[in-house]
C-alpha cells in the first residue's frame, strides 16, 4: 500500500467509546466516508443488539486527531 | 488454472507434471488413495468456510479461523505450544474472513481484552483455546485429522 496516502481513524461510540489506534490508509476523504459506512454496517450486521435509543456513531479522524465527519445511526422511539 | 496461489513466507515448491501424477496413481494405489483423501478433506474445509463466511458473525468467524490455524499448525509441528507464526497483516486477515480492517481491529481488541488471544510481532498466541472453541462452535471433525 502507498505510504503517502492519508491515514484515517474510525472511532466507534455507542454506550462507550472505542478508539481506533491503528488507522487505515485510504486515498481520499470520499474513500474514508465509504469505509466508515461499511464499518458501521458491519457493526450493525454483526452486533445488531448494539443499537438502542442511545444511537451509534462512527467518527472519522485524520492523523492530527481532527474529526472529519461522523456517521450517525439512530433508533427513534415514537412512544 | 482457475486460481492463483501466494505465499506469506519463504517456501520450497516443486512442479509435478500431469504424466508423473498419472504414473504415480498407476504404480501406487496408496498415493492415489492419499490424494483422493486429500481432495475430500479440501472439500470438507471448503464447506466449513462457506458456513464461516456466510453464516458466522465477525467475532465467531475470527475465533473459528484462529482455532483452525492453531490446530493445523500444531498437527504439523509448526506451533510452539499455544503460539505460532502468523505473518498476516490486519488487512490480509480482513480479506481472508471478509471484514473491513477497522472491524478486524475491533474484533482483535475485544479478543485481547477478554484474554483469548495475543497478536503481536506476527505471532498469534492462543491464551484460552477452550473458550475460543466454544465461541466459534469449533468441531475439528471437518479437518479429518484422525486416522481411521
Amino acid at each position: 500500500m502507498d505510504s503517502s496516502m492519508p491515514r484515517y481513524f474510525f472511532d466507534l461510540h455507542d454506550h462507550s467509546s472505542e478508539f481506533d489506534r491503528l488507522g487505515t490508509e485510504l486515498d481520499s476523504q470520499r474513500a474514508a466516508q465509504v469505509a466508515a459506512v461499511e464499518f458501521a454496517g458491519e457493526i450493525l450486521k454483526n452486533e445488531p443488539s448494539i443499537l438502542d435509543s442511545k444511537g451509534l456513531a462512527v467518527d472519522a479522524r485524520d492523523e492530527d486527531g481532527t474529526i472529519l465527519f461522523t456517521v450517525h445511526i439512530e433508533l427513534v422511539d415514537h412512544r | 488454472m482457475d486460481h492463483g496461489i501466494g505465499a506469506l513466507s519463504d517456501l520450497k515448491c516443486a512442479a509435478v507434471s500431469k504424466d508423473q501424477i498419472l504414473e504415480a496413481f498407476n504404480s501406487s494405489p496408496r498415493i492415489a488413495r492419499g490424494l483422493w483423501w486429500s481432495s475430500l478433506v479440501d472439500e470438507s474445509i471448503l464447506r466449513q468456510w462457506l458456513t464461516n463466511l456466510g453464516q458466522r458473525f465477525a467475532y465467531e468467524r475470527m475465533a473459528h479461523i484462529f482455532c483452525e490455524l492453531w490446530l493445523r499448525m500444531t498437527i504439523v509441528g509448526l506451533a510452539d505450544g499455544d503460539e505460532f507464526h502468523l505473518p498476516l497483516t490486519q488487512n490480509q486477515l480482513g480479506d481472508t474472513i471478509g471484514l473491513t480492517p477497522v472491524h478486524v481491529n475491533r474484533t482483535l481488541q475485544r479478543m485481547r481484552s477478554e484474554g483469548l488471544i495475543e497478536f503481536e510481532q506476527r505471532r498469534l498466541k492462543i491464551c484460552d483455546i477452550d473458550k475460543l472453541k466454544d465461541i466459534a462452535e469449533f468441531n475439528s471433525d471437518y479437518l479429518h485429522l484422525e486416522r481411521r
Side-chain angles (χ1 to χ4, degrees), chain B residues 61-90:
Chain B
R61 203 186 286 175
M62 194 178 285
H64 202 277
I65 188 180
F66 287 163
C67 289
E68 176 178 321
L69 289 174
W70 174 76
L71 190 58
R72 293 176 71 175
M73 294 297 265
T74 300
I75 290 288
V76 295
L78 289 173
D80 177 13
D82 51 11
E83 275 185 60
F84 61 95
H85 183 51
L86 183 62
L88 277 179
T89 63
Q90 292 200 5

Side-chain angles (χ1 to χ4, degrees), chain A residues 2-75:
Chain A
D2 184 355
S3 60
S4 66
M5 284 202 288
R7 189 169 277 273
Y8 295 89
F9 298 81
F10 301 98
D11 302 330
L12 179 72
H13 305 283
D14 54 310
H15 284 261
S16 60
S17 292
E18 194 178 82
F19 297 97
D20 178 9
R21 283 183 283 269
L22 198 76
T24 308
E25 286 178 343
L26 293 158
D27 61 9
S28 65
Q29 173 136 341
R30 184 61 197 140
Q33 287 171 349
V34 171
V37 172
E38 211 182 341
F39 174 48
E42 265 185 6
I43 295 291
L44 286 178
K45 167 132 182 19
N46 284 281
E47 302 164 47
S49 60
I50 202 173
L51 190 67
D52 59 21
S53 53
K54 290 211 160 133
L56 182 150
V58 175
D59 283 342
R61 276 182 294 120
D62 64 14
E63 278 167 86
D64 303 322
T66 308
I67 295 174
L68 304 168
F69 59 86
T70 300
V71 176
H72 191 228
I73 296 158
E74 268 186 295
L75 190 155

Side-chain angles (χ1 to χ4, degrees), chain B:
Chain B
M1 278 283 262
D2 62 351
H3 63 285
I5 297 173
L8 290 168
S9 57
D10 291 342
L11 80 166
K12 274 185 193 163
C13 71
V16 183
S17 71
K18 185 177 152 195
D19 287 346
Q20 285 171 308
I21 296 257
L22 292 174
E23 168 58 28
F25 281 175
N26 286 331
S27 61
S28 165
R30 291 187 65 181
I31 289 178
R33 196 191 287 186
L35 278 168
W36 175 49
W37 178 248
S38 165
S39 68
L40 290 174
V41 173
D42 280 349
E43 284 171 32
S44 172
I45 292 175
L46 194 62
R47 281 192 294 275
Q48 192 58 235
W49 271 87
L50 282 175
T51 310
N52 210 22
L53 289 175
Q55 301 294 74
R56 287 194 184 97
F57 290 133
Y59 181 65
E60 290 80 13
R61 203 186 286 175
M62 194 178 285
H64 202 277
I65 188 180
F66 287 163
C67 289
E68 176 178 321
L69 289 174
W70 174 76
L71 190 58
R72 293 176 71 175
M73 294 297 265
T74 300
I75 290 288
V76 295
L78 289 173
D80 177 13
D82 51 11
E83 275 185 60
F84 61 95
H85 183 51
L86 183 62
L88 277 179
T89 63
Q90 292 200 5
N91 278 329
Q92 288 167 331
L93 185 57
D95 277 346
T96 308
I97 55 177
L99 298 175
T100 59
V102 201
H103 203 187
V104 168
N105 194 24
R106 170 180 165 79
T107 311
L108 285 173
Q109 276 183 27
R110 178 176 169 192
M111 287 188 171
R112 263 190 215 111
S113 70
E114 291 173 346
L116 296 170
I117 57 142
E118 283 168 27
F119 190 18
E120 304 286 334
Q121 310 283 330
R122 302 178 145 208
R123 287 187 75 79
L124 182 73
K125 182 175 180 186
I126 309 285
C127 306
D128 191 339
I129 187 65
D130 291 336
K131 211 166 155 197
L132 211 57
K133 281 181 178 173
D134 280 351
I135 292 161
E137 297 184 344
F138 184 80
N139 178 333
S140 65
D141 285 358
Y142 75 97
L143 293 169
H144 297 274
L145 295 169
E146 277 163 47
R147 244 171 224 281
R148 264 164 239 208

